[in-house]
Amino acid sequence: MTLSAEQRRERLVALYKEVSTCTRCPLHETRNKAVFGAGNADAELMFVGEAPGAEEDRQGLPFVGRAGQLLNLLLGEIGLSREEVFIANVLKSRPPGNRDPLPLEIEACEPYLFEQVRLIEPKVVCTLGNFATKLLTGSPTGITKVRGTPQVHELGGRTVFLLPLLHPAAALRTPAMKETLRGDLAAIPELLARPLPAPAPSAEELAEAEAAGGSTPPQPADQLDMFG
Ligand code: URA
């Protein structure tokens, strides 16, 4: 079902309210504020981080600490501002002491993220760090192997470009990683300008094409070769 921009915005507000009072996992007992995500509800570009830190938990906003300041700086360097993008996290509640998200927490929270992608309808989704990358690529391959190379995925019922990036917190710790993140982010403007590839053919479409003796429609992985 196609939703108007107004309907998508209304549903996003309803989802925000749901997340604000969510008790799906034990993190609601220790959080100060749930962090839904923030930015442009019609953004073409979405960032997905890991989980709120101390400052995010205090303010109820994503990436407002040091990692967020670095992200703002690097975004500015490619001519983008926070107001133009939407930023969310895999987890909406802070894990105590900033420990890694647990599988049951990710499982409880991931429907919110997929619904956010469905409602915002971004063209490019940048995953920041291992947790977001593994969740949204559906692959256990770590961020250092896949960073900087765009992929094509079906997310929230739509085809998007997915660009795995190092987490800005890691980039704050190591100057070389900061330069890598800066270099990888430079691919974004060109990616935003590209037409999205056609959605992957369904199993039915593939079977029909084969039965008709025709050539198999290109898969997203093949199409990726065109700009890999
Ligand atoms: N790190 C994250 O992954 N997300 C935030 O919102 C802040 C820091």
Side-chain angles (χ1 to χ4, degrees), residues 35 49-53 56 61-65 67-68 88-89 128 167 169:
V35 178
E50 180 176 314
E56 289 78 19
L61 292 168
F63 281 97
V64 286
N89 282 302
L128 301 170
H167 195 289

Side-chain angles (χ1 to χ4, degrees), residues 130-142:
N130 251 326
F131 284 92
T133 301
K134 289 181 179 178
L135 177 66
L136 295 189
T137 60
S139 158
T141 311

